[in-house]
Amino acid sequence: MSETDSDKKPPLDYQLQYQNLLLGNRLPNLRKKWDPLIPCRKDRYLTPEQLKQLVAKSPRILKILDEMSENDKGKKKKLALIVREMLDEIGLARSLPVIRWLGICIQSTIKKICTGVYVNEASIENVKKKIGTNPVLYLPSHRSYADFILMSYLCFTYDLEIPGIAAGMDFHGMVGMGNMLRKTGAFFMRRTFATDKLYWYVFKEYMHALVTAYHTGIEFFIEGTRSRSCKALPPKIGLLSMALEPLFMGEVPDITIVPVSISYDRPLEEQLFVYELLGVPKPKESTMGLIKSVLTIEDRYGSMFFDFGAPISVKEYFGDSLNRFQHALEPAHVQNLTKNELGMIYDLAYDVVSCQQRRIVVNCFNIIAIYYTYRMYMDLEMTFDQLCDGVLILSEFFRRHGATVAVDASRIRDVVKESLRIHCNILKLDKDDRVILEKPRISLREVNRLKFKAHALTEETMKNTVPIFYLQIYINPCLFWCSSKAIVILCAQHLTRKGEKRASVAKLREKVSELRLIFSNEFVFYTVNDEKDFAKDVELLKNYNVLSDEDAQGELSYHESQIDGFYLTTIAPFLCCYLQITHVIDTKFSTGSFSEKELLIATQEFVEEALMSHKKYIHPYCLSLDSLNIALNSLNNLGGVSKNKNSDLTVYSANRTSIRDTHRLLLDYCQLLPFNYLIDYVVSSKL
């Protein structure tokens, strides 16, 4: 993926690079004349209703109707009515008064709860210069329900046509809200529709029409869902492949992709995320619930940051690999993308996620969470002054990595105090000016314990683990900058633990690739980039004097330092999580088959007991259902477990040899972590 000069250079300080929309007279005028830049100019502009009619009469839909009706005219007529109902369910609409009114509501709420909405205006202007002739796909990161609403607000503010936005059916079912969102450009899709052949074809054709015939651009989340853990998720290419199919088929000359990074000091769903990760059922979305939450909200949520990546010409990205002649012999609607083309789309998707992550803003509490957690692991208390010093050290640390850091070093004490005020539900200062964890207020009396997603954890366990989960979800956005370097450090330690101080570069690369493969889904590593990432990581660690230049024999020297602890703090919980799930599979499911839910229940039960009995290499984050699910998928990819369909139920069976080998490997690495993994800090005495 090509990078602009601004991508290659270390970013400027965020206050120079970003403009605060809430500062002075910069607040957008939502009553202005609406004359937006059209992402894809057309000779003829379709209305939303005409777009649906175009889909209903398309060759692809007519073909599937013929196939499913088996030339029965009555059946075909009924199927055509079903198609129309599906399109009414899916289709977007447009209403400028609704867009303005919703914008006013959003602006009022933002002013109430936020200290800043920071926008990289130069990046938006760059996007505006490079669109207008081709279909445009906006692909934002997804950390909050607010993402797509705020994207529309931003497009209106900067005179960009509001795109068609792919939204889940959760919003469609909200009384009044679903219709309102539809009028701002949302189109709706069911969560799963692989088994409904007709719906799949209708939705695919609607996406096709949005790309080839509509003018507004399309917005969807390449990760597929909100990241409850606030870290990057592996990309899903379902919608992306639908959107790019017209390019492969030669129906459009090019498609422009705009990656968008959205960062939050504090996501609105912070508490819900932590509870969902632990298995507490998500409350059902409702219009009244939304209105009540907006009207009663009192907390401050700090700042939001928006950055648009350099637009990507998909045609240029694929280059000579884009072979459209192979699709020239048959009509586009009877063809599918080839396996090779899907592989090309995967490459692009991973690069989009990487671009999103590279532009994520590291805020003060991200850094506080890492530094506090590091000292907690080392069983060291911390004063406010020590925290300020640590934030300064880590701020420079991330800047050297190329990150944009929202910390003003000239007023560090005020910045840290403000961050602690925003996150007073997690950390606070005691009477001696020490930084301590806040005791959470937890009551599960109103929660139906039968509806927990896995094991029904006790209130005591929740009380002791929720603060650690809060810290981890603020550490997770930094994994892009830390995880691959942490793995290099861990592997260097592994090779030199017998007292030797040198490691073969070739052997180190082999160990790093082995560990990256295990955690490829967790940290969104793409194996295509292994060699390039390894070289960059080694070079950076040389600059920190963690590694020294190789000698004539191709060996590196490893030097232990405090920097190791900062890096390893970010990935330690995941090592422990994967260690424990392999242990549970080996001890409880080594024979016979098991379902995903059975494994999640058994693992959470085991971890809960182990935490209370202070066993080694147990971390509260081992209870995270997201990481346990990702670990199970990784073990399936590695051959540690096999997935099979048993009637309508997906079941797994263990490859005991592979599981034990993986467990032993992870245990070796966990033993190298320079932390106290009796985990005394999770017991209530620490709170």
Side-chain angles (χ1 to χ4, degrees):
M1 176 176 168
S2 61
E3 296 178 334
T4 65
D5 290 340
S6 61
D7 282 325
K8 294 174 184 176
K9 296 176 182 177
L12 299 171
D13 181 88
Y14 82 102
Q15 290 176 315
L16 298 176
Q17 188 179 2
Y18 288 75
Q19 300 296 325
N20 185 359
L21 293 187
L22 302 188
L23 192 63
N25 62 353
R26 296 190 60 82
L27 205 63
N29 175 16
L30 299 174
R31 296 178 177 85
K32 65 183 178 182
K33 181 182 177 182
W34 181 230
D35 185 23
L37 173 65
I38 303 299
C40 186
R41 289 184 286 271
K42 304 282 185 182
D43 293 331
R44 172 175 172 256
Y45 293 101
L46 299 180
T47 66
E49 183 59 33
Q50 289 171 332
L51 181 69
K52 289 189 284 189
Q53 292 172 3
L54 180 70
V55 173
K57 297 176 181 178
S58 67
R60 179 178 274 132
I61 297 303
L62 295 178
K63 178 176 179 292
I64 192 65
L65 290 180
D66 286 337
E67 290 177 0
M68 293 183 71
S69 66
E70 299 174 333
N71 296 319
D72 183 326
K73 291 185 178 180
K75 188 175 181 180
K76 184 176 181 179
K77 189 174 181 180
K78 289 180 181 178
L79 288 172
L81 289 174
I82 293 172
V83 167
R84 183 65 210 194
E85 290 170 359
M86 289 177 174
L87 287 170
D88 288 339
E89 176 186 287
I90 294 168
L92 58 78
R94 290 276 162 175
S95 171
L96 187 56
V98 170
I99 290 171
R100 291 187 190 277
W101 181 85
L102 193 57
I104 291 169
C105 292
I106 292 167
Q107 190 164 273
S108 175
T109 303
I110 290 173
K111 288 168 63 179
K112 178 182 176 183
I113 67 174
C114 291
T115 54
V117 177
Y118 289 91
V119 181
N120 186 340
E121 292 187 338
S123 72
I124 294 181
E125 292 305 316
N126 187 44
V127 169
K128 292 171 77 171
K129 289 175 185 175
K130 296 184 178 181
I131 64 173
T133 56
N134 299 306
V136 176
L137 309 180
Y138 298 96
L139 305 182
S141 56
H142 197 17
R143 303 294 176 267
S144 171
Y145 274 145
D147 292 335
F148 75 87
I149 298 173
L150 291 169
M151 269 291 293
S152 297
Y153 173 75
L154 222 62
C155 287
F156 188 93
T157 299
Y158 288 96
D159 298 315
L160 271 170
E161 179 63 270
I162 296 171
I165 307 157
M169 294 301 290
D170 297 344
F171 294 104
H172 182 272
M174 294 172 66
V175 177
M177 184 56 65
N179 190 45
M180 184 184 299
L181 292 177
R182 190 190 300 278
K183 289 181 178 179
T184 64
F187 63 96
F188 295 94
M189 60 178 178
R190 299 173 188 174
R191 289 297 181 189
T192 56
F193 48 83
T195 57
D196 189 334
K197 184 178 179 181
L198 183 57
Y199 184 88
W200 188 88
Y201 274 100
V202 170
F203 187 85
K204 183 178 181 180
E205 186 61 23
Y206 191 80
M207 281 289 291
H208 177 274
L210 283 172
V211 173
T212 58
Y214 211 51
H215 62 283
T216 65
I218 309 172
E219 176 190 333
F220 57 89
F221 302 108
I222 200 166
E223 295 167 292
T225 184
R226 284 178 305 163
S227 174
R228 273 82 170 166
S229 59
C230 294
K231 65 182 182 64
L233 300 175
K236 304 285 195 306
I237 66 163
L239 288 182
L240 185 60
S241 59
M242 287 183 187
L244 295 184
E245 187 177 279
L247 176 66
F248 285 98
M249 301 298 171
E251 298 174 280
V252 294
D254 197 1
I255 291 176
T256 302
I257 287 179
V258 180
V260 184
S261 296
I262 307 175
S263 317
Y264 298 89
D265 270 350
R266 180 183 176 188
L268 301 177
E269 304 95 326
E270 174 194 68
Q271 180 176 326
L272 285 177
F273 284 169
V274 169
Y275 277 49
E276 283 187 58
L277 290 174
L278 287 164
V280 178
K282 182 179 73 170
K284 183 176 175 59
E285 289 89 355
S286 69
T287 303
M288 286 305 299
L290 176 64
I291 294 172
K292 183 179 177 182
S293 65
V294 170
L295 292 177
T296 60
I297 194 167
E298 294 181 354
D299 289 353
R300 299 292 290 177
Y301 287 84
S303 297
M304 305 172 183
F305 300 87
F306 295 83
D307 196 354
F308 287 59
I312 302 166
S313 160
V314 180
K315 180 182 177 182
E316 290 179 10
Y317 179 93
F318 289 145
D320 293 339
S321 300
L322 181 62
N323 176 17
R324 292 190 275 197
F325 294 107
Q326 63 184 318
H327 295 292
L329 298 178
E330 291 184 283
H333 70 272
V334 301
Q335 299 184 70
N336 293 308
L337 296 175
T338 67
K339 186 176 180 180
N340 180 60
E341 288 168 337
L342 292 173
M344 292 162 61
I345 293 173
Y346 263 114
D347 290 342
L348 173 60
Y350 271 91
D351 272 347
V352 168
V353 172
S354 178
C355 180
Q356 291 172 346
Q357 294 306 295
R358 190 164 59 249
R359 290 176 171 270
I360 289 291
V361 173
V362 176
N363 64 57
C364 186
F365 199 77
N366 295 139
I367 295 172
I368 288 173
I370 293 175
Y371 194 67
Y372 180 87
T373 302
Y374 163 71
R375 292 187 62 100
M376 185 169 61
Y377 287 165
M378 302 299 290
D379 201 22
L380 299 171
E381 290 187 341
M382 183 168 61
T383 65
F384 177 73
D385 286 340
Q386 288 171 327
L387 176 60
C388 291
D389 290 342
V391 170
L392 284 174
I393 292 168
L394 283 177
S395 294
E396 184 57 30
F397 173 85
F398 280 107
R399 286 192 178 101
R400 288 183 67 178
H401 284 57
T404 301
V405 182
V407 174
D408 184 353
S410 67
R411 44 187 294 274
I412 187 63
R413 292 178 66 84
D414 291 339
V415 170
V416 173
K417 278 185 178 178
E418 175 62 18
S419 188
L420 290 177
R421 274 195 292 270
I422 292 169
H423 299 91
C424 61
N425 59 317
I426 305 173
L427 293 175
K428 66 179 182 180
L429 297 176
D430 69 5
K431 56 181 174 40
D432 297 317
D433 223 24
R434 292 175 305 179
V435 186
I436 61 173
L437 283 171
E438 176 64 282
K439 186 175 182 178
R441 299 175 182 87
I442 291 173
S443 175
L444 300 179
R445 290 176 191 147
E446 297 181 7
V447 178
N448 184 344
R449 297 181 67 78
L450 297 176
K451 291 188 177 181
F452 267 70
K453 295 177 185 176
H455 172 57
L457 300 168
T458 66
E459 281 193 17
E460 184 70 13
T461 299
M462 294 281 288
K463 181 179 72 174
N464 293 331
T465 57
V466 161
I468 311 303
F469 268 69
Y470 274 136
L471 287 171
Q472 190 61 42
I473 67 170
Y474 286 101
I475 292 172
N476 287 343
C478 301
L479 287 169
F480 173 79
W481 305 106
C482 298
S483 56
S484 63
K485 288 96 176 163
I487 283 177
V488 173
I489 289 172
L490 205 56
C491 291
Q493 288 181 348
H494 188 267
L495 291 171
T496 59
R497 63 179 172 176
K498 294 181 179 178
E500 301 176 15
K501 287 298 179 184
R502 304 192 72 77
S504 159
V505 175
K507 191 66 176 176
L508 179 60
R509 187 186 296 112
E510 179 186 325
K511 288 288 183 184
V512 168
S513 294
E514 183 179 43
L515 210 51
R516 280 174 65 102
L517 189 59
I518 294 173
F519 290 101
S520 59
N521 288 335
E522 193 70 64
F523 302 137
V524 197
F525 295 143
Y526 198 33
T527 53
V528 171
N529 298 326
D530 277 2
E531 287 288 326
K532 182 174 69 174
D533 288 350
F534 176 79
K536 288 169 59 178
D537 293 342
V538 167
E539 194 59 37
L540 187 140
L541 292 174
K542 285 179 184 177
N543 292 337
Y544 278 121
N545 202 34
V546 174
L547 298 174
S548 297
D549 283 324
E550 58 261 38
D551 57 19
Q553 285 75 41
E555 292 186 333
L556 287 164
S557 295
Y558 164 70
H559 311 282
E560 190 173 333
S561 72
Q562 185 187 41
I563 289 172
D564 297 1
F566 295 152
Y567 278 119
L568 296 179
T569 291
T570 63
I571 69 165
F574 303 98
L575 282 166
C576 293
C577 180
Y578 281 51
L579 177 72
Q580 300 311 328
I581 196 172
T582 53
H583 171 76
V584 171
I585 292 173
D586 183 41
T587 56
K588 296 183 182 294
F589 299 107
S590 59
T591 60
S593 60
F594 57 92
S595 68
E596 178 184 286
K597 186 167 185 177
E598 287 171 336
L599 176 61
L600 296 179
I601 291 171
T603 306
Q604 282 196 323
E605 282 180 333
F606 172 77
V607 170
E608 182 175 46
E609 188 279 326
L611 282 169
M612 294 305 104
S613 57
H614 300 186
K615 291 183 179 177
K616 282 189 175 183
Y617 315 124
I618 296 285
H619 189 284
Y621 206 69
C622 297
L623 294 168
S624 168
L625 294 183
D626 270 27
S627 274
L628 292 175
N629 274 309
I630 292 172
L632 178 59
N633 288 330
S634 296
L635 292 171
N636 179 55
N637 295 337
L638 293 167
V641 297
S642 301
K643 185 193 293 189
N644 301 290
K645 277 281 188 181
N646 187 356
S647 299
D648 293 330
L649 182 68
T650 300
V651 295
Y652 298 83
S653 56
N655 178 335
R656 195 167 190 181
T657 300
S658 177
I659 284 291
R660 286 189 169 180
D661 287 346
T662 304
H663 180 77
R664 279 193 292 267
L665 179 69
L666 292 168
L667 181 59
D668 279 349
Y669 285 116
C670 282
Q671 289 170 345
L672 296 172
L673 295 172
F675 308 131
N676 172 18
Y677 270 88
L678 293 176
I679 307 297
D680 287 331
Y681 60 81
V682 301
V683 299
S684 57
S685 61
K686 205 69 173 176
L687 297 172

